[in-house]
Structures are given as C-alpha cells and as structure tokens.
Amino acid sequence: MLDSHCHWNDDTLYPERNEIFKRAVEAGVTTFLVVGWDVASSKKAIEIAHEFPGVYAAVGIHPENLEGCDDHSLEEIRRLSFDPKVIAIGEIGLDYHWFSEETERQKQQTWFIRQIALANERNLPISIHARDASQDTYDILVEHRPNAGAVLHCYSGSPEMEERFAKLGLYFGFDGPITYKNAANPKAAVQACPLDRILTETDCPYLSPVPYRGQRNESSHIVEILNAMASLKGIPPKAMEENVANNFMNLFHVKL
Ligand code: NI
C-alpha cells in the first residue's frame, strides 16, 4: 500500500518519524510521498526521504504560504527539485477558502503558474491543492498544461468537475473523509473516479479516517482509506491495492 500525500515534515510528526515509518510498514504501507508547503518544509521532506527506503519527496510552495515569497524562493525550490528523491512539485495550487481578496487570489494564480512552469522545465508531475477554486484551477491547467502529469490531492469536488479534470489526464487523491458517514461529496467523487486515476493518501497529520477520526493521523491509516475506497468501487481491497500501485508508478515514474 502507499501514501501518496503525507506531511512527516510537519512539527507534530517529524520527531516521531521513525515510529511512524515502522507502524506503517507493519501495516503493509511501504511507499510514501512526503510533501512540502514552503522552502523549509520542502528541505525537510528531502531530508526525510533520504532517511528511509520507499520514501520520496515533493517540493513546492502552497497557496496559503506565499507571504514573503520572492524569486529567490522559487529558485530554491528549483534547486531542491534536482535531488534524486524528488519525484514531484507540490503542493501547489489555489486556496480561496480563507482568501477573498482579488489581489491575493491573483498572487496565488501567478505562483501556481510559475510552479507549473518549473515542473514542466524539470519534467516532474505536480501535486495540486485546490480548495473552493475548482473553476480557476481548471482554467489554469487548460492554459498551462502540466506536461508530466498531475494529481488533485484530497479531491472532494463535484463529479461534473471531476469528469472535466479526468479529461485533462489528472489523477485524484482521496483521504480520510471518504470513510466519514455523512461525507457525501468525497464518496461520490470516489465512485465517479476512473479506476486508472485513483490514489490513496492520508494528508497526515490531518484528516484521520474512521475509527481514528479526531485523532492525529499517520500513514498506517492508509489501510482504512484503501478499504473504504475498494468497497465504494465494489472491488476487493487487494485488487484496489494493485490498481493504486500501478497508478502511482504511472504518474510518478517510480518502480514499486
Ligand atoms: Ni497536504
């Protein structure tokens, strides 16, 4: 099994990463993508990736972390992207949830586009964070195609938008919310997702699945997410596991 989006570089998980890795491997989760959200967390993701087998890194600047970012920050991300353990640029994208001002949203768009260009220059796929910004995310991806592929991380948008994103060749990552009893949107999104585009992720320390909801999340909980995904799709967990592994290899060009 694999966790295609996790934050062991977060302060709440970093000091315990040895135990987190061990518990995950014991649960059968053996591949991990640790994702950065700014320059410092991207460096930490690389550091962690070099400590453990099966751990990879994504480097990038998240739309909520743009304050103080300048050309030098982008150059740092570019420099980090040359590390052999880096397999993606992310997480990058648009988050309009807390940002209602047009100038702020434009700044996010500019940085999203700049980092897609970087990913294309480096021939790396991107991990996208899109919150309350489906249409603008779509429009940017149409105009600035990520040439090496892309995943919409923690997808919970409408099945209609999902179909349009799928037509662009995007992958979709699903997390704990697909196990929540009343989470109709994430469940519908899994059901509408093409099997060859689906990925498991925890986004830990956030979004713990049932029965750990409300507690700190960690990568061993992929088991609950994979099982929920398999049952929503009506296929055996083992078949879903193999399917997700193939998708991960196709998107990130990593041999598992
Ligand atoms: Ni994340």
Side-chain angles (χ1 to χ4, degrees):
M1 284 173 276
L2 61 91
D3 188 350
S4 65
H5 190 114
C6 56
H7 299 291
W8 299 4
N9 44 354
D10 185 273
D11 285 344
T12 61
L13 299 181
Y14 182 76
E16 286 179 54
R17 62 197 182 283
N18 285 302
E19 290 75 23
I20 287 164
F21 174 75
K22 201 167 158 258
R23 282 194 290 268
V25 170
E26 277 167 8
V29 187
T30 51
T31 302
F32 314 85
L33 180 55
V34 179
V35 181
W37 58 87
D38 60 10
V39 171
S41 60
S42 296
K43 279 184 186 160
K44 230 168 178 177
I46 293 173
E47 178 202 321
I48 296 165
H50 282 277
E51 288 179 323
F52 304 98
V55 180
Y56 300 91
V59 297
I61 302 172
H62 186 288
E64 280 186 80
N65 299 91
L66 294 173
E67 210 183 308
C69 284
D70 54 16
D71 290 353
H72 177 71
S73 324
L74 190 66
E75 189 44 48
E76 276 282 278
I77 295 295
R78 184 178 178 279
R79 191 180 62 75
L80 294 173
S81 75
F82 283 87
D83 186 280
K85 280 267 186 165
V86 171
I87 60 171
I89 298 295
E91 53 187 295
I92 63 174
L94 305 175
D95 192 321
Y96 291 174
H97 192 72
W98 305 111
F99 299 90
S100 51
E101 276 179 38
E102 194 48 39
T103 49
E104 182 58 47
R105 290 180 172 189
Q106 274 168 8
K107 186 178 176 185
Q108 291 188 8
Q109 292 163 19
T110 303
W111 274 86
F112 187 25
I113 293 165
R114 291 182 84 181
Q115 292 183 95
I116 294 171
L118 168 64
N120 286 347
E121 177 211 321
R122 298 284 303 109
N123 199 29
L124 289 168
I126 60 174
S127 181
I128 303 169
H129 172 102
R131 191 175 184 200
D132 296 346
S134 275
Q135 188 60 50
D136 282 0
T137 301
Y138 180 82
D139 292 342
I140 285 175
L141 291 171
V142 167
E143 228 186 298
H144 306 270
R145 294 296 278 265
N147 296 333
V151 53
L152 276 168
H153 127 75
C154 197
Y155 189 75
S156 66
S158 70
E160 294 74 34
M161 277 312 291
E162 191 174 14
E163 202 183 323
R164 297 172 73 197
F165 282 122
K167 282 201 179 117
L168 294 181
L170 266 63
Y171 289 73
F172 302 86
F174 295 100
D175 321 61
I178 70 166
T179 67
Y180 301 167
K181 206 167 165 220
N182 295 320
N185 287 353
K187 285 189 164 86
V190 169
Q191 278 161 337
C193 188
L195 265 183
D196 62 354
R197 300 295 173 71
I198 204 164
L199 289 168
T200 45
E201 54 174 63
T202 59
D203 203 22
C204 62
Y206 315 107
L207 301 174
S208 261
V210 172
Y212 309 102
R213 194 173 179 182
Q215 301 170 26
R216 191 193 67 182
N217 198 7
E218 62 176 75
S219 292
S220 58
H221 300 162
I222 278 292
V223 179
E224 278 69 29
I225 293 160
L226 182 92
N227 288 342
M229 195 180 265
S231 101
L232 284 164
K233 283 299 210 185
I235 63 170
K238 195 71 203 163
M240 181 56 86
E241 184 183 332
E242 281 164 20
N243 177 65
V244 167
N246 277 326
N247 295 344
F248 188 89
M249 289 191 278
N250 286 338
L251 176 59
F252 296 112
H253 302 290
V254 167
K255 189 100 189 72
L256 301 184

